Amino acid sequence: MIRLLLIVVATIMNIASARAVGWTRQWVCADDSCRESQIWFLRTLCLPHRPAEAYIHAASNGRIIVYVNGYNTTTDVLAPYRNGDTSLQGITCDAMPYIDGDTCLIAVWYSPFLKGHEGKQLSLTLYGKYTDGKPFAFTTDGNWSWALAPATTLHSPHETEQINSRAMRANWNIDGLPMPMLRPVKSEVATDMVGEYRPRHIRKTYSCRLANSSATTLTYLSPFPFHGWARVTLRGMKPGTQITVNGLYYTCNGQMDEQACRRFTIPPYTTTTIKITSPSGIKVSNVMSVEAIDIW
């Protein structure tokens, strides 16, 4: 009986430690003026040779997308911060499939959320082993750079995003950014508790049909209720045209095909309706497709 009790206590302690692990981390952040701005963090690492295995662990006070040599390594969405969390959250990704040689460009798209930790926007470690079994680890430090992304995260009355697609740089996470755009990060070392991230995935994507149209509003219906993103593919929009898609604010770039879709926020409701509005007008012929993306 005593042995069984000791096993139960040890199990509970292991679970608790897995959910919130505290150790010394190196954090980087942009300047204090970036309270709502989404940020691009960048660092190019030159390895002695191609590793045998490589992983990334990233902790943040917001939501992040981690790219390695231009590829998205975060298979989950809205990671790692979850509404209601009161502590920093972390996520682990397999980076090895995206490292072909000895160069590793790590790019992180960051969206702010958790207040009270503004100075701890990103703590990231690339770690693994070389083919000879020797371990390695590279962490965020003063050699990282950052730049403002052409998007902001809004929290009132509901969380949403404002994206200026005209200012987007398509290959920022593949080729990097020119030096005039890059700024030095602020860095600090601190011991922090980082909680367990509960992953969310795209469960289903539905094609939507047109239900109603006017000069300034198009209404589409999903075949099933969804809680997640609305993704609209547009063609032939005038550059600078502003539209809203279920609360998302989007400025069109005028390219042949462009997609208006959230990256970091999610509406608080389940719906079957997707509304596309534009004060300057929008035509059915401009909309190539409308998709409802259910997230759980």
Side-chain angles (χ1 to χ4, degrees), residues 57-200:
H57 178 77
S60 180
N61 68 348
R63 292 179 183 153
I64 54 177
I65 302 174
V66 181
Y67 300 92
V68 173
N69 292 331
Y71 293 95
N72 184 353
T73 68
T74 42
T75 56
D76 308 328
V77 296
L78 305 173
Y81 174 75
R82 193 180 183 106
N83 285 353
D85 288 337
T86 57
S87 63
L88 302 164
Q89 303 292 304
I91 187 172
T92 301
C93 313
D94 186 1
M96 192 61 214
Y98 315 108
I99 302 177
D100 292 329
D102 58 1
T103 300
C104 183
L105 172 61
I106 302 176
V108 179
W109 196 329
Y110 163 88
S111 172
F113 276 92
L114 185 60
K115 295 181 179 179
H117 294 282
E118 286 83 358
K120 298 175 180 177
Q121 294 171 338
L122 178 65
S123 175
L124 182 148
T125 302
L126 172 70
Y127 64 95
K129 293 180 180 179
Y130 294 115
T131 53
D132 60 2
K134 184 179 179 181
F136 68 87
F138 300 92
T139 190
T140 40
D141 56 20
N143 293 313
W144 280 65
S145 301
W146 70 275
L148 286 174
T152 54
T153 302
L154 310 175
H155 299 282
S156 180
H158 305 297
E159 62 177 47
T160 188
E161 295 168 72
Q162 190 168 21
I163 302 172
N164 181 6
S165 188
R166 295 188 74 185
M168 197 66 64
R169 299 183 71 92
N171 295 326
W172 74 274
N173 58 343
I174 301 173
D175 302 326
L177 293 168
M179 287 302 297
M181 291 186 63
L182 296 175
R183 309 180 193 181
V185 296
K186 294 181 180 180
S187 61
E188 68 169 276
V189 177
T191 301
D192 299 284
M193 299 297 293
V194 174
E196 177 188 17
Y197 164 66
R198 294 168 289 170
R200 278 177 286 184

Side-chain angles (χ1 to χ4, degrees), residues 1-286:
M1 183 66 182
I2 295 176
R3 181 181 179 185
L4 178 60
L5 181 60
L6 290 174
I7 293 174
V8 171
V9 171
T11 302
I12 293 173
M13 291 178 66
N14 287 337
I15 292 173
S17 62
R19 288 181 176 174
V21 179
W23 61 71
T24 301
R25 301 171 187 270
Q26 294 189 165
W27 293 90
V28 294
C29 69
D31 63 38
D32 295 335
S33 64
C34 305
R35 301 289 179 171
E36 296 182 336
S37 301
Q38 294 179 14
I39 298 167
W40 291 334
F41 289 102
L42 291 146
R43 177 76 166 100
T44 299
L45 297 171
C46 295
L47 309 175
H49 49 82
R50 188 175 187 268
E53 57 183 65
Y55 301 93
I56 283 178
H57 178 77
S60 180
N61 68 348
R63 292 179 183 153
I64 54 177
I65 302 174
V66 181
Y67 300 92
V68 173
N69 292 331
Y71 293 95
N72 184 353
T73 68
T74 42
T75 56
D76 308 328
V77 296
L78 305 173
Y81 174 75
R82 193 180 183 106
N83 285 353
D85 288 337
T86 57
S87 63
L88 302 164
Q89 303 292 304
I91 187 172
T92 301
C93 313
D94 186 1
M96 192 61 214
Y98 315 108
I99 302 177
D100 292 329
D102 58 1
T103 300
C104 183
L105 172 61
I106 302 176
V108 179
W109 196 329
Y110 163 88
S111 172
F113 276 92
L114 185 60
K115 295 181 179 179
H117 294 282
E118 286 83 358
K120 298 175 180 177
Q121 294 171 338
L122 178 65
S123 175
L124 182 148
T125 302
L126 172 70
Y127 64 95
K129 293 180 180 179
Y130 294 115
T131 53
D132 60 2
K134 184 179 179 181
F136 68 87
F138 300 92
T139 190
T140 40
D141 56 20
N143 293 313
W144 280 65
S145 301
W146 70 275
L148 286 174
T152 54
T153 302
L154 310 175
H155 299 282
S156 180
H158 305 297
E159 62 177 47
T160 188
E161 295 168 72
Q162 190 168 21
I163 302 172
N164 181 6
S165 188
R166 295 188 74 185
M168 197 66 64
R169 299 183 71 92
N171 295 326
W172 74 274
N173 58 343
I174 301 173
D175 302 326
L177 293 168
M179 287 302 297
M181 291 186 63
L182 296 175
R183 309 180 193 181
V185 296
K186 294 181 180 180
S187 61
E188 68 169 276
V189 177
T191 301
D192 299 284
M193 299 297 293
V194 174
E196 177 188 17
Y197 164 66
R198 294 168 289 170
R200 278 177 286 184
H201 307 276
I202 294 174
R203 177 169 56 180
K204 189 74 174 180
T205 300
Y206 304 110
S207 295
C208 303
R209 63 175 179 85
L210 180 67
N212 194 17
S213 64
S214 69
T216 58
T217 304
L218 303 177
T219 303
Y220 288 78
L221 293 179
S222 168
F224 299 98
F226 73 100
H227 183 200
W229 296 333
R231 182 167 60 197
V232 178
T233 302
L234 302 164
R235 176 175 295 177
M237 298 295 293
K238 183 178 178 181
T241 300
Q242 295 184 342
I243 67 171
T244 61
V245 179
N246 279 21
L248 165 70
Y249 301 95
Y250 181 83
T251 302
C252 299
N253 58 39
Q255 295 178 0
M256 179 170 287
D257 285 323
E258 56 184 303
Q259 285 188 330
C261 185
R262 300 174 186 241
R263 289 184 178 87
F264 298 105
T265 61
I266 188 170
Y269 50 81
T270 298
T271 185
T272 58
T273 303
I274 296 176
K275 283 193 174 184
I276 310 168
T277 63
S278 175
S280 60
I282 186 168
K283 300 177 181 178
V284 175
S285 59
N286 292 129

